[in-house]
Amino acid sequence: MSDTLVIIPTYNEKENIEAIIRATFDQEKAFDVLIVDDNSPDGTAKIVESLQAEFPNQLHIEKRTGKNGLGTAYIHGFKWALARDYEYIIEMDADFSHNPDDLVRLYNACVVDGGDVAVGSRYSVGVNVVNWPMNRVLLSYFASKYVRFITGIPVNDTTAGFVCWNRKVLETIKLDKIKFVGYAFQIEMKYKAWKHGFSIKEVSVIFTDRTLGESKMSGGIVYEALFGVIKMRLKGLPK
């Protein structure tokens, strides 16, 4: 058993899922993988299950009954990890927008460099985004600047979804009180970690938009992120 679990939420990722799993297991460090599948009608879960015989005790799957949002999928995965002996838990997308070759760098930012949280950041050194239209790049970039201005959190890429968490951070944050489910979920988790006094390190990564499958981005997700931050800051959130 690895000391690190990589959680990959999925919904209709049959084009990517086998490749992302194999790329994760090809790293120089051993990782375990948990797929949290939201009842994908395209057979994503069946592909994962067919690979479990090849990767016994490394590849796991939790199948949920509905499409309930990215945030709840990660919280499901966090609780699964905390019920076991993993010291580090990493969030990663299934579509190769997050490069599995950066997994070790995120891990080392915690283990070697002493971070409690390591964020795979698109904006810590310039703007490192590939294949996005300019309007989406600008929206994402200025959304992170906006969040930093509103909350004061010292993170350049607050909406990043490529994150390594030290176990103690997830044990401290009250996961059942997380309010948001879309991009604002990523902001809220980082904000709460920071408010608890945990150190957050940014690791510069290149984000490459998916080439296979369909994006899960929606206007509602953007709305939640932009306006949820104001509520989060003004009303305060329970720790």
Side-chain angles (χ1 to χ4, degrees):
M1 178 177 172
S2 172
D3 66 343
T4 306
L5 180 71
V6 179
I7 302 173
I8 304 176
T10 55
Y11 182 77
N12 285 350
E13 291 289 355
K14 67 177 182 180
E15 295 95 343
N16 297 299
I17 192 60
E18 180 172 353
I20 198 75
I21 289 171
R22 291 189 182 279
T24 301
F25 289 144
D26 280 345
Q27 299 304 310
E28 61 184 28
K29 174 188 162 38
F31 294 101
D32 287 355
V33 172
L34 172 66
I35 305 299
V36 181
D37 186 72
D38 273 4
N39 198 28
S40 298
D42 72 345
T44 297
K46 291 182 180 179
I47 296 172
V48 176
E49 289 170 333
S50 72
L51 292 169
Q52 285 185 298
E54 185 176 347
F55 302 105
N57 304 317
Q58 290 177 278
L59 178 59
H60 310 276
I61 184 168
E62 288 282 288
K63 294 186 288 186
R64 305 201 302 169
T65 57
K67 192 172 184 294
N68 298 311
L70 183 71
T72 62
Y74 274 127
I75 289 173
H76 185 104
F78 291 160
K79 290 180 177 180
W80 192 93
L82 293 176
R84 291 155 179 84
D85 293 329
Y86 295 103
E87 290 299 321
Y88 301 95
I89 298 94
I90 298 178
E91 304 177 35
M92 188 172 74
D93 288 349
D95 60 6
F96 284 95
S97 56
H98 303 145
N99 189 339
D101 291 344
D102 290 322
L103 284 167
V104 175
R105 296 175 62 224
L106 284 182
Y107 173 80
N108 285 339
C110 289
V111 176
V112 178
D113 299 333
D116 298 312
V117 183
V119 177
S121 177
R122 299 162 289 186
Y123 308 127
S124 60
V125 181
V127 177
N128 294 316
V129 177
V130 177
N131 291 343
W132 265 8
M134 184 54 66
N135 64 336
R136 189 168 175 186
V137 173
L138 292 173
L139 175 64
S140 174
Y141 177 78
F142 285 109
S144 283
K145 292 294 185 184
Y146 161 82
V147 171
R148 184 167 182 170
F149 174 75
I150 295 293
T151 65
I153 185 173
V155 175
N156 291 295
D157 194 353
T158 51
T159 62
F162 198 17
V163 186
C164 180
W165 303 91
N166 189 307
R167 178 188 185 90
K168 64 185 178 183
V169 180
L170 298 182
E171 288 177 331
T172 301
I173 293 174
K174 294 179 181 178
L175 297 175
D176 287 332
K177 292 188 176 181
I178 295 294
K179 293 185 176 182
F180 299 118
V181 297
Y183 273 15
F185 163 80
Q186 302 292 359
I187 300 166
E188 184 179 354
M189 287 292 296
K190 297 178 187 68
Y191 181 73
K192 286 191 171 185
W194 175 60
K195 293 294 283 184
H196 276 289
F198 291 112
S199 65
I200 302 176
K201 292 189 177 293
E202 289 190 83
V203 177
S204 181
V205 300
I206 296 175
F207 178 97
T208 303
D209 196 21
R210 66 164 64 237
T211 57
L212 298 172
E214 295 183 0
S215 173
K216 312 303 189 297
M217 174 68 78
S218 70
I221 290 173
V222 174
Y223 179 90
E224 180 193 59
L226 292 178
F227 293 96
V229 169
I230 296 176
K231 294 180 182 179
M232 186 173 71
R233 179 66 181 85
L234 293 180
K235 294 183 178 180
L237 288 174
K239 291 182 178 182

